[in-house]
Amino acid sequence: MSKTILITGGCGFIGHHFVEHIFLNTTWNIIIIDKLTYASNGFERLRDTGTLNAPRVKVFTNDLSNPLPEGLKKEIGKVNYIVHMAAETHVDNSIRNPELFITNNIMSTFHLLEYARELTTLEMFFYFSTDEVFGPALDGKLFKEWERHKPTNPYSASKSAAEQICIAYENTYKTPLMIVNVMNAFGERQHVEKFIPLCIKKVLNEEKVYIHSYPDMKRSGTRFYIHGRNIAAAVLFLINNGKIGEKYNISGEKEVSNLEMAQLIAKFVGKELKYEMVNFHANRPGHDLRYGLDGSKLFNMGFKLPVDFNESLQKVVKWTLENKKWLE
């Protein structure tokens, strides 16, 4: 009998890369639950990758802020793995409207955990978290999996809270839990509100790119970037090799400053970069200048990033220029 994996947020950016990876690398049946917010762009990502109408893939539209309806549970049937990726993720939006993030990210996790308690076939509940729960990682700091959380904005606070609820369910109800904390994702079909596609669009249109910088306006903030397909590969690796009750960091290959990223994009686009350093933190407290995860635990298990950063970025820029509808 083939396994069944339930993926929440499978129409989203990281979610659709994971759906495609599971589709290409396993024979599992794939159930997707997505509430189709603005960030999903409907079924367009699944349509683009050819997974939407595949016989092994079923997609249900449902808001997990509410309990799963009985009819939906019946349609889903037996489930072996739950990978909970669905979340509101945009920091700016969480600062403007924290209630949406607290309600959605915490309650969706709670309702999914409650559903998981009913499943007799469940082998793993995989919670997808973020590097931002640890707060800023200044002075070269790289956080290990079980270090204390210090979230600095409503988005990261909601993800931290959901993590703790997951851990409580593992302890209280023996939910077979695994947690990953992931760094900044990039790749094809990313929403244009995110830095890399936004930068591609601005460079292409010869507009000014605003670079998130330190208060001195001389140094830009930094991020560790990782392609969505590399994240997908890491999650499948952990489903097969990880240990129940553990947390794992999925870290990017190398640290890149915001300015360096914009310069690389301009180089790959073939246009001059027009930019201005901006101290976002002055009027947007909660925009941390650096995050950092220690990914040695996962790499020491034998996981290797399938594609390196520079090659990934160059391919993403080229692909985006050939598929400009994703910049609209």
Side-chain angles (χ1 to χ4, degrees):
M1 291 277 297
S2 182
K3 303 271 188 178
T4 296
I5 185 168
L6 170 62
I7 303 167
T8 70
C11 298
F13 168 60
I14 299 178
H16 94 281
H17 279 298
F18 183 61
V19 168
E20 184 182 27
H21 189 78
I22 293 294
F23 183 75
L24 294 175
N25 292 281
T26 73
T27 59
W28 300 347
N29 297 310
I30 300 169
I31 308 286
I32 298 166
I33 297 179
D34 200 297
K35 73 173 181 178
L36 298 184
T37 66
Y38 79 95
S40 71
N41 203 21
F43 296 133
E44 196 60 23
R45 291 188 179 97
L46 300 182
R47 203 174 279 120
D48 240 29
T49 54
T51 53
L52 180 60
N53 296 310
R56 285 194 287 128
V57 180
K58 287 183 182 178
V59 188
F60 298 101
T61 305
N62 186 70
D63 185 352
L64 290 167
S65 296
N66 304 304
L68 273 74
E70 291 302 317
L72 178 56
K73 293 178 190 176
K74 185 175 181 182
E75 285 297 318
I76 291 170
K78 292 180 179 179
V79 173
N80 301 99
Y81 309 113
I82 293 175
V83 178
H84 182 31
M85 294 184 167
E88 296 285 348
T89 63
H90 199 274
V91 173
D92 270 2
N93 293 348
S94 83
I95 292 168
R96 282 191 291 267
N97 182 10
E99 184 177 2
L100 171 65
F101 284 70
I102 302 302
T103 303
N104 183 81
N105 294 350
I106 294 174
M107 293 308 295
S108 67
T109 306
F110 166 67
H111 289 135
L112 207 58
L113 286 164
E114 282 290 281
Y115 165 64
R117 288 175 62 193
E118 303 172 13
L119 297 172
T120 57
T121 53
L122 187 68
E123 298 173 43
M124 188 178 298
F125 185 106
F126 206 103
Y127 182 68
F128 216 81
S129 193
T130 171
D131 54 357
E132 298 193 33
V133 297
F134 297 104
L138 302 179
D139 302 319
K141 172 70 178 174
L142 296 175
F143 287 104
K144 291 186 180 293
E145 282 79 358
W146 292 100
E147 290 195 55
R148 93 291 179 269
H149 286 189
K150 195 177 181 181
T152 56
N153 57 63
Y155 160 62
S156 55
S158 70
K159 295 295 286 183
S160 175
E163 267 197 52
Q164 308 314 314
I165 294 166
C166 285
I167 291 167
Y169 267 66
E170 184 211 2
N171 180 64
T172 308
Y173 306 111
K174 307 308 174 197
T175 303
L177 177 70
M178 203 178 292
I179 294 173
V180 288
N181 295 86
V182 179
M183 307 205 74
N184 281 60
F186 75 98
E188 298 81 3
R189 305 177 196 88
Q190 191 168 27
H191 195 284
V192 75
E193 71 188 1
K194 302 294 186 179
F195 182 68
I196 289 176
L198 182 62
C199 193
I200 295 171
K201 183 176 183 176
K202 284 182 176 291
V203 169
L204 194 60
N205 296 335
E206 299 180 354
E207 297 172 10
K208 187 184 286 185
V209 177
Y210 293 96
I211 305 293
H212 183 191
S213 70
Y214 284 81
D216 62 12
M217 310 290 234
K218 292 175 183 172
R219 293 178 302 145
S220 65
T222 63
R223 293 290 184 265
F224 288 81
Y225 285 93
I226 181 169
H227 194 287
R229 276 193 294 276
N230 285 345
I231 294 172
V235 173
L236 182 56
F237 177 87
L238 285 169
I239 287 174
N240 291 322
N241 300 285
K243 183 181 175 185
I244 295 297
E246 277 294 349
K247 293 175 70 174
Y248 297 94
N249 289 335
I250 303 176
S251 63
E253 179 192 351
K254 67 174 185 175
E255 188 168 7
V256 183
S257 77
N258 300 330
L259 179 57
E260 184 185 356
M261 175 62 83
Q263 289 167 335
L264 281 169
I265 288 169
K267 175 185 163 187
F268 295 147
V269 172
K271 291 206 173 191
E272 181 191 354
L273 175 66
K274 300 174 182 175
Y275 72 93
E276 181 183 335
M277 304 287 258
V278 178
N279 178 14
F280 278 133
H281 200 85
N283 55 11
R284 274 273 184 268
H287 272 278
D288 297 314
L289 287 157
R290 183 183 185 272
Y291 296 110
L293 295 180
D294 182 336
S296 58
K297 185 174 176 178
L298 175 60
F299 292 125
N300 289 341
M301 290 167 62
F303 177 73
K304 292 180 175 64
L305 295 170
V307 185
D308 74 42
F309 168 74
N310 272 8
E311 184 186 346
S312 292
L313 181 63
Q314 190 162 4
K315 284 182 175 178
V316 166
V317 173
K318 183 175 184 291
W319 184 92
T320 304
L321 295 176
E322 292 168 355
N323 297 269
K324 290 194 181 79
K325 70 176 184 180
W326 291 96
L327 294 177
E328 292 167 9

